[in-house]
């Protein structure tokens, strides 16, 4: 999909999600044929001409200035992540890139050192498309104990966390509030797609999930974006029961992150993680 189409689709989706009454636009009781704001109403709020905004949304006008993008972002009431996404899409629309399949990602040395230093905290190293580049023993046990622990070492077999959330029954059952988790990963993937518009492997992942999961297709069409730096999830683990974890994402350079799952000190969830750690630790290493 071209950058112009992505920019137009994002603007149209966000405009349709704004209700006139939410931002003080009078409707005088009229019946409206389209949801959300009309183009001319959005243009008025942004201080641009209706014809210019229409061309921008239709992909016929490029090179929008930062001032215009800021004005549209304010009119659409975008948050910081959404504003950054708008700028990414606008930059993509201005240039003609050639899609390419990048080389398989490799975990950075710094990420590997951090992973080794956290044996008691569930941790994953994720690439930019959410491929699992590595996990520690407890991270594997918490998030994907049903999978081969050596899978991240083989580029062609690496688990993908977005694919697992939508297509893997174990992962779907793992989250008590699965819809919230699903919306979060889709929103984050939208951000990544705006940052790496020429990544054909990313496009292939989106196409696969759109065809195999109606839930993903619906959430993707919503054009919501979201950062995943911090979130709290109740997990229903098959070995230790309910575990409430705080998932924190630490950036490790372009497109690479470490995801940690922590629990409150003295909580039942901390006890459950300790039991899980004991269950997956080989007997001959438990007293070392």
């Amino acid at each position: 999909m071209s950058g112009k189409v992505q920019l137009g689709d994002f603007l149209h989706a966000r405009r349709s999600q704004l209700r006139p009454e939410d931002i003080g636009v009078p409707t005088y009781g009229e019946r409206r044929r389209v949801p959300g704001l009309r183009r001319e109403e959005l243009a008025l709020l942004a201080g641009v001409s209706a014809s210019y905004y229409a061309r921008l949304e239709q992909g016929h006008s490029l090179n929008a200035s930062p001032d215009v993008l800021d004005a549209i972002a304010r009119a659409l009431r975008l948050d910081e992540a959404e504003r950054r996404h708008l700028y990414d899409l606008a930059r993509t629309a201005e240039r003609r890139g050639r899609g390419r399949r990048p080389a398989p990602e490799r975990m950075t040395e710094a990420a590997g050192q951090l992973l080794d230093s956290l044996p008691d905290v569930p941790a994953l190293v994720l690439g930019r498309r959410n491929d699992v580049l590595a996990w520690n023993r407890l991270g594997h046990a918490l998030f994907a104990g049903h999978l081969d622990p050596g899978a991240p070492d083989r580029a062609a077999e690496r688990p993908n966390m977005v694919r697992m959330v939508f297509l893997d029954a174990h992962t779907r059952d793992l989250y008590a509030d699965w819809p919230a988790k699903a919306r979060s990963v889709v929103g984050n993937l939208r951000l990544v797609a705006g940052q790496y518009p020429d990544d054909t492997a990313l496009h292939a992942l989106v196409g696969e999930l759109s065809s195999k999961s109606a839930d993903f297709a619906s959430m993707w069409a919503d054009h919501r974006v979201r950062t995943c730096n911090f979130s709290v999830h109740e997990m229903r683990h098959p070995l230790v029961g309910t575990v409430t974890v705080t998932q924190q994402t630490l950036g490790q350079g372009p497109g690479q992150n470490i995801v940690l799952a922590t629990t409150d000190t003295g909580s039942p969830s901390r006890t459950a993680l300790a039991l899980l750690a004991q269950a997956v630790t080989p007997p001959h290493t438990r007293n070392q």
Side-chain angles (χ1 to χ4, degrees):
M1 181 179 292
S2 73
K4 293 186 293 184
V5 172
Q6 291 187 66
L7 175 61
D9 285 350
F10 176 70
L11 292 173
H12 178 269
R14 297 317 311 270
R15 177 172 60 83
S16 68
Q17 292 158 3
L18 271 181
R19 297 183 302 174
E21 57 268 28
D22 292 338
I23 55 177
V25 174
T27 61
Y28 307 105
E30 64 178 323
R31 296 185 63 181
R32 301 169 70 91
R33 293 180 297 173
V34 296
L37 294 180
R38 295 168 176 156
R39 283 177 180 159
E40 58 269 23
E41 291 169 338
L42 194 285
L44 181 63
L45 289 171
V48 300
S49 72
S51 60
Y52 174 80
Y53 178 79
R55 293 195 304 273
L56 190 64
E57 194 173 285
Q58 293 168 349
H60 300 318
S61 179
L62 304 180
N63 302 315
S65 71
D67 288 342
V68 168
L69 293 176
D70 282 341
I72 291 174
R74 287 192 297 271
L76 290 173
R77 299 196 171 183
L78 303 185
D79 62 24
E80 185 57 36
E82 293 164 338
R83 183 186 297 264
R84 191 164 63 247
H85 184 60
L86 174 63
Y87 268 87
D88 286 338
L89 294 179
R91 282 194 295 270
T92 300
E94 291 176 6
R95 62 185 177 87
R96 295 182 179 180
R98 296 186 63 183
R100 61 185 183 276
R101 180 172 290 273
E105 295 178 276
R106 294 183 178 181
M107 179 176 60
T108 65
E109 183 177 351
Q113 291 174 358
L114 183 55
L115 194 66
D116 290 341
S117 70
L118 297 168
D120 300 323
V121 178
L124 312 172
V125 180
L126 300 181
R128 71 189 189 198
R129 293 179 293 275
N130 280 264
D131 292 328
V132 180
L133 306 183
W135 47 31
N136 61 11
R137 182 182 291 127
L138 197 50
H140 167 254
L142 178 64
F143 291 104
H146 62 303
L147 299 182
D148 178 1
D153 299 329
R154 301 182 291 274
E157 301 176 29
R158 283 174 177 162
N160 178 278
M161 295 306 294
V162 183
R163 185 182 286 115
M164 289 170 62
V165 165
F166 283 93
L167 303 182
D168 182 83
H170 173 94
T171 304
R172 190 170 185 129
D173 291 342
L174 194 60
Y175 290 93
D177 189 351
W178 179 85
K181 176 63 177 177
R183 287 191 296 268
S184 179
V185 299
V186 171
N188 185 69
L189 196 64
R190 267 283 178 200
L191 283 175
V192 176
Q195 295 165 0
Y196 301 98
D198 300 329
D199 188 335
T200 58
L202 178 58
H203 296 322
L205 175 65
V206 171
E208 174 196 352
L209 292 172
S210 297
S211 65
K212 292 181 178 179
S213 170
D215 290 323
F216 178 88
S218 175
M219 293 179 190
W220 186 256
D222 199 38
H223 285 266
R224 297 285 185 180
V225 298
R226 186 176 305 181
T227 58
C228 292
N229 298 330
F230 176 91
S231 56
V232 178
H233 297 286
E234 180 181 310
M235 305 179 76
R236 299 174 296 197
H237 197 276
L239 291 182
V240 295
T242 300
V243 185
T244 300
V245 301
T246 299
Q247 292 188 20
Q248 302 180 58
T249 301
L250 309 179
Q252 293 294 303
Q256 197 162 125
N257 298 297
I258 289 187
V259 177
L260 309 176
T262 59
T263 54
D264 290 336
T265 302
S267 66
S269 294
R270 177 68 62 87
T271 301
L273 273 191
L275 291 173
L276 183 60
Q278 186 176 18
V280 299
T281 300
H284 65 279
T285 64
R286 289 177 182 170
N287 296 321
Q288 293 182 3

